[in-house]
Amino acid sequence: NAGVTQTPKFQVLKTGQSMTLQCAQDMNHEYMSWYRQDPGMGLRLIHYSVGAGITDQGEVPNGYNVSRSTTEDFPLRLLSAAPSQTSVYFCASSYSKDYEQYFGPGTRLTVT
Amino acid sequence: AQTVTQSQPEMSVQEAETVTLSCTYDTSENNYYLFWYKQPPSRQMILVIRQEAYKQQNATENRFSVNFQKAAKSFSLKISDSQLGDTAMYFCAFRTSGTYKYIFGTGTRLKVLA
């Protein structure tokens, strides 16, 4: 098992550009989440999904879109990047809400 | 709204000593889960220990144990026999039972000194 994989590892965007952060897991996990980590603020939940076709907003959803067309993949889309979206992004998954979350290695995004 | 507070931004401990990291939370819910995560310099998030609020017994995982005080809404992590590999950021997290929304604290940076 590869676990939770995220691509790319690093990305630099210009303000206004769009991009998709990829997240995939091969553990047949139903639950997946996206977090952002900023200095001094811990991890904050952006969006989460409890199964294919089902997504919901977390604490900081503005500026981000998600979809879950398959169990394995949960991409995060930035429609028009802003400097405030400079952060490290983590994807996580779990078998169910009562099971351990497994985190991906993170994507460091810089928006200039 | 639920909140998680870690009031110690940084701590240090001598190798082989014991250290306690503090965490307090605020919620009106009765059923919830509490977690401690470790983030070493590699950036990988690793679950250290979890506690179900309905369990009175404090969780233990090898050298890691918690002191869960439900009435005080306190959830501290004790690391015994500290090792250099324990050097990391430690995050306290909360989740209401029945939801998948995790709330994380701001973290405590722990440095274990040789």
Side-chain angles (χ1 to χ4, degrees):
Chain A
N1 284 351
V4 180
T5 57
Q6 291 183 237
T7 56
K9 285 188 168 50
F10 302 93
Q11 182 70 49
V12 179
L13 289 178
K14 293 188 186 305
T15 297
Q17 287 184 318
S18 63
M19 81 158 296
T20 299
L21 305 185
Q22 301 291 345
C23 174
Q25 51 86 15
D26 61 358
M27 298 175 283
N28 201 31
H29 286 175
E30 288 294 324
Y31 289 70
M32 298 185 75
S33 298
W34 276 104
Y35 296 89
R36 60 178 288 173
Q37 182 178 19
D38 302 294
M41 300 192 73
L43 276 75
R44 292 182 292 168
L45 182 64
I46 304 171
H47 286 286
Y48 66 99
S49 169
V50 299
I54 306 170
T55 64
D56 204 349
Q57 296 181 351
E59 184 183 353
V60 288
N62 292 342
Y64 307 95
N65 277 359
V66 293
S67 60
R68 185 98 179 269
S69 56
T70 67
T71 298
E72 295 77 19
D73 301 298
F74 190 42
L76 179 72
R77 297 183 186 84
L78 283 70
L79 302 176
S80 178
S84 61
Q85 294 178 305
T86 292
S87 189
V88 178
Y89 290 85
F90 287 96
C91 179
S93 74
S94 63
Y95 180 71
S96 79
K97 61 180 182 299
D98 292 328
Y99 281 69
E100 177 180 352
Q101 274 194 116
Y102 291 86
F103 284 81
T107 294
R108 181 177 292 279
L109 175 68
T110 302
V111 183
T112 61
Chain B
Q2 290 88 2
T3 58
V4 176
T5 301
Q6 294 180 250
S7 58
Q8 304 153 314
E10 293 185 359
M11 296 187 72
S12 62
V13 63
Q14 289 294 135
E15 197 175 6
E17 297 293 309
T18 295
V19 65
T20 299
L21 280 57
S22 301
C23 172
T24 59
Y25 58 95
D26 189 26
T27 184
S28 57
E29 301 288 339
N30 194 48
N31 297 316
Y32 50 87
Y33 297 84
L34 293 161
F35 308 83
W36 279 99
Y37 283 89
K38 171 184 178 181
Q39 186 180 42
S42 67
R43 210 168 66 187
Q44 182 69 47
M45 293 286 289
I46 303 162
L47 177 66
V48 175
I49 199 164
R50 65 179 257 171
Q51 173 82 40
E52 292 86 348
Y54 65 85
K55 289 186 177 179
Q56 291 187 340
Q57 187 171 3
N58 289 327
T60 299
E61 288 287 343
N62 300 315
R63 298 182 294 108
F64 299 87
S65 61
V66 299
N67 183 4
F68 173 47
Q69 302 287 330
K70 191 172 183 179
K73 296 179 182 174
S74 171
F75 183 60
S76 60
L77 175 70
K78 185 172 82 170
I79 306 175
S80 303
D81 185 24
S82 297
Q83 301 175 359
L84 295 177
D86 295 334
T87 292
M89 281 288 286
Y90 287 83
F91 293 96
C92 179
F94 169 98
R95 177 173 67 78
T96 303
S97 179
T99 75
Y100 196 56
K101 290 187 175 183
Y102 285 77
I103 299 169
F104 283 78
T106 54
T108 295
R109 186 178 301 278
L110 176 68
K111 188 169 185 179
V112 180
L113 307 171

